[in-house]
C-alpha cells in the first residue's frame, strides 16, 4: 500500500524566516524582535533546546597536503554563527567515519543520554561511510528515549561550491525543531529515514542513502516536513543500554567459488559473540558439509544470524531445501533487517546478557522497529 504523506506542523508554532550571516533558515517561533532566534521560543513560552554533536565527516573537512582532512574548530564556528541557539559540541579528535566503531557508538549514545534532561532535541553530524551502523546502534541503545535524535552528514565539504552539507544540516535542525518525529533517524537529501532501516547505497550522489524494506519516514518540502509513521515499538525508556564494544562480532558474505573449508575453519578459530552470515536469496547456503558442521558447532556457543545479500526482501529459512541446514543448526533468521542493523544489534545484545539463550531471544525481539513483524 502506498504511504501517503501528510504535512506535520504543530499548530502552536508560528512559522517565519530569519536571516543570520546571510543564511536563511526556518524557525518555529513566536514573534521576537530584531529577528532574534535565541532560545527558539514559541508563543506558549516553551523553549526548545537543541544539542548538536559534531563527530566528524566530510562535511567539515578542508583541503590539506594529502587531500581532504578534518579541520578542528572550523565547522563548529560556522554552525554556532548560523544557529546561535543550538549548542554545538565538537569531538576531539574529529573522526573519519571509517575509523568509527562500537566504542564511538557508546560515546555518542552516552553524550546524548547524559544531556537528555537538559536538551529536547539532538542532531549528530557524522561521516557517511558508517552512518548506517551508528544510527542502527543508537536506535537500540536509546530505545524509548522519546526524543528526536537525527543523524546527518554530507557527501561534500561545507565550503565546496554546491555542497549538500548546508542543506542537510539545515534540514535536520528544521526537523527536530518540529518535534513530531521521535527516535533515531537519518536525514539526507531532503528525506528522513528510520535510523535502523537505512543503508548507504551510493558513494557519489548526494542522495546517498536508501531504506530498502521500509518507506521513507518523511520528505522535506520547502522549509517544512511531511512525515509518515515510522516502524516503531511501544518500548519505554529503560535508561542507556550500551553495546559491548569489545565483543567479537563478524560479518561473513558468501560468494560462488569461496572456500567452505577456509570459512569453516576461520569461524571456529576463536570464540565469537556473534556472526552475521550474508547468504543467497531468501537465506540459502551451499551444501558443503564442512560449512554446515561449522555453523552447527558455532550456533551452540554464539548467536548466528542469517541476512540476505539481496537489497530488498526478507530471509525465509526453510523455503528452499538449501536453507534447511541452517534451520537445523539453530541459525536465526534476520527477516528484512539490514546487515548493518543486524551487526549493531549483535553488539547491543552482547552488552545485555552473557546467556546464549537470552541473547538469542533478545535478537529476535523487535526492539526499535528494526524488522517487519509478520
Amino acid at each position: 500500500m502506498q504511504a501517503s504523506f501528510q504535512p506535520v506542523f504543530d499548530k502552536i508554532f508560528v512559522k517565519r524566516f530569519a536571516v543570520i550571516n546571510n543564511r536563511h533558515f526556518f524557525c518555529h517561533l513566536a514573534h521576537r524582535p530584531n529577528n532574534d532566534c535565541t532560545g527558539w521560543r514559541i508563543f506558549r513560552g516553551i523553549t526548545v533546546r537543541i544539542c548538536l554533536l559534531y563527530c566528524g565527516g566530510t562535511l567539515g573537512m578542508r583541503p590539506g597536503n594529502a587531500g581532504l582532512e578534518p579541520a578542528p574548530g572550523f565547522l563548529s564556528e560556522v554552525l554556532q554563527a548560523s544557529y546561535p541557539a543550538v549548542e554545538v559540541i565538537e569531538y576531539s579528535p574529529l573522526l573519519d567515519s571509517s575509523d568509527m566503531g562500537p566504542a564511538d557508538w557508546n560515546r555518542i549514545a552516552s553524550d546524548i543520554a547524559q544531556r537528555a534532561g537538559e536538551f529536547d532535541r539532538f542532531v549528530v553530524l557524522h561521516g557517511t561511510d558508517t552512518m548506517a551502523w551508528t544510527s542502527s546502534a543508537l536506535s537500540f541503545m536509546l530505545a524509548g528515549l522519546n526524543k528526536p535524535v537525527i543523524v546527518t552528514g554530507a557527501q561534500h565539504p561545507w565550503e565546496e561550491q554546491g555542497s549538500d552539507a548546508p542543506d542537510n544540516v539545515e534540514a535536520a535542525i528544521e526537523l527536530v525543531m518540529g518535534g513530531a518525529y521521535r527516535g533515531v533517524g537519518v536525514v539526507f537529501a531532503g528525506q528522513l529515514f528510520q535510523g535502523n532501516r537505512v543503508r548507504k547505497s551510493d558513494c557519489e550522489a548526494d542522495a546517498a542513502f536508501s531504506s530498502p524494506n521500509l518507506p521513507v519516514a518523511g520528505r522535506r518540502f520547502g522549509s517544512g516536513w511531511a512525515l509518515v509513521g515510522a516502524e516503531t515499538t511501544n518500548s519505554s525508556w529503560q535508561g542507556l543500554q550500551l553495546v559491548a564494544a569489545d565483543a567479537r562480532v563478524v560479518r561473513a558474505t558468501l560468494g560462488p567459488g569461496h572456500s567452505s573449508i577456509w570459512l569453516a575453519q576461520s569461524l571456529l578459530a576463536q570464540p565469537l559473540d556473534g556472526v552475521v552470515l550474508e547468504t543467497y536469496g531468501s537465506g540459502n547456503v551451499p551444501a558443503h558439509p564442512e560449512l554446515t558442521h561449522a555453523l552447527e558447532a558455532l550456533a551452540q556457543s554464539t548467536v548466528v544470524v542469517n541476512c540476505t545479500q539481496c537489497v530488498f526482501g526478507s530471509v525465509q529459512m526453510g523455503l528452499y531445501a538449501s536453507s534447511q541446514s541452517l534451520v537445523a543448526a539453530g541459525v536465526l533468521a534476520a527477516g528484512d533487517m539490514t546487515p548493518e542493523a543486524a551487526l549493531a544489534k549483535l553488539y547491543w545484545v552482547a552488552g545485555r546478557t552473557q546467556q546464549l539463550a537470552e541473547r538469542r531471544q533478545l535478537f529476535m525481539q523487535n526492539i526499535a522497529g528494526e524488522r517487519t513483524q509478520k
Side-chain angles (χ1 to χ4, degrees):
M1 181 177 179
Q2 182 69 28
S4 60
F5 287 92
Q6 297 296 328
V8 176
F9 297 112
D10 193 320
K11 292 182 179 179
I12 67 175
F13 290 137
V14 175
K15 293 169 277 187
R16 65 189 293 247
F17 286 96
V19 181
I20 295 179
N21 284 9
N22 296 318
R23 290 194 53 20
H24 292 265
F25 64 99
F26 193 60
C27 300
H28 297 279
L29 298 164
H31 174 71
R32 292 178 63 76
N34 302 321
N35 287 333
D36 180 14
C37 292
T38 304
W40 303 87
R41 296 185 180 277
I42 61 177
F43 69 83
R44 287 187 180 177
I46 301 172
T47 300
V48 178
R49 300 159 297 180
I50 300 175
C51 177
L52 185 149
L53 302 178
Y54 171 34
C55 306
T58 299
L59 80 169
M61 291 185 176
R62 291 178 130 174
N65 293 332
L68 291 173
E69 59 186 22
F74 156 65
L75 185 59
S76 294
E77 183 177 341
V78 171
L79 293 171
Q80 205 67 80
S82 299
Y83 306 102
V86 175
E87 181 77 15
V88 178
I89 299 174
E90 178 177 310
Y91 280 20
S92 180
L94 292 170
L95 300 172
D96 187 299
S97 69
S98 60
D99 292 325
M100 298 187 75
D104 301 298
W105 305 342
N106 280 343
R107 179 184 178 184
I108 296 169
S110 297
D111 285 343
I112 292 171
Q114 290 169 7
R115 293 168 173 80
E118 180 182 357
F119 294 94
D120 308 295
R121 324 273 200 257
F122 294 89
V123 174
V124 179
L125 301 188
H126 192 289
T128 60
D129 284 349
T130 59
M131 185 181 292
W133 282 273
T134 298
S135 61
S136 294
L138 291 177
S139 76
F140 304 127
M141 292 189 285
L142 301 174
L145 181 61
N146 199 34
K147 291 177 181 284
V149 178
I150 299 301
V151 187
T152 193
Q155 293 283 73
H156 306 279
W158 189 281
E159 292 181 311
E160 182 178 301
Q161 186 175 3
S163 171
D164 57 332
D167 281 348
N168 285 345
V169 172
E170 180 180 83
I173 292 176
E174 285 174 1
L175 177 65
V176 299
M177 275 300 304
Y181 182 85
R182 303 298 175 94
V184 178
V186 169
V187 161
F188 223 87
Q191 297 187 97
L192 167 65
F193 307 95
Q194 188 168 305
N196 51 32
R197 294 298 198 107
V198 71
R199 306 194 73 181
K200 184 175 181 179
S201 52
D202 197 316
C203 62
E204 296 182 352
D206 288 352
F209 288 85
S210 61
S211 179
N213 289 315
L214 188 72
V216 296
R219 297 185 192 277
R220 189 185 186 202
F221 294 98
S223 293
W225 282 89
L227 305 182
V228 295
E231 189 81 8
T232 56
T233 63
N234 295 321
S235 60
S236 58
W237 176 239
Q238 302 295 322
L240 178 64
Q241 301 177 1
L242 296 177
V243 303
D246 58 351
R248 295 162 300 225
V249 179
V250 300
R251 176 177 170 181
T253 302
L254 300 181
H258 76 283
S259 171
S260 294
I261 295 178
W262 177 87
L263 180 58
Q265 292 173 344
S266 299
L267 291 174
L268 296 176
Q270 59 180 341
L272 296 174
D273 295 297
V275 176
V276 177
L277 185 66
E278 290 193 61
T279 58
Y280 304 129
S282 59
N284 305 312
V285 294
H288 291 309
E290 297 87 355
L291 181 58
T292 300
H293 294 155
L295 292 174
E296 288 175 348
L298 196 61
Q300 301 305 309
S301 60
T302 192
V303 183
V304 183
V305 300
N306 184 358
C307 277
T308 176
Q309 295 180 27
C310 297
V311 176
F312 296 92
S314 176
V315 166
Q316 301 178 63
M317 292 197 305
L319 180 63
Y320 290 89
S322 54
S323 64
Q324 288 291 350
S325 62
L326 299 180
V327 177
V331 173
L332 303 180
D336 63 352
M337 291 178 64
T338 66
E340 294 88 343
L343 185 136
K345 191 173 183 180
L346 284 175
Y347 276 103
W348 176 80
V349 164
R352 302 297 301 146
T353 177
Q354 295 295 317
Q355 300 301 314
L356 178 60
E358 294 177 355
R359 287 182 174 183
R360 289 170 58 88
Q361 184 180 32
L362 268 177
F363 185 86
M364 294 304 292
Q365 290 179 10
N366 192 16
I367 302 299
E370 67 274 11
R371 61 192 301 158
T372 302
Q373 298 283 32
K374 297 186 177 180

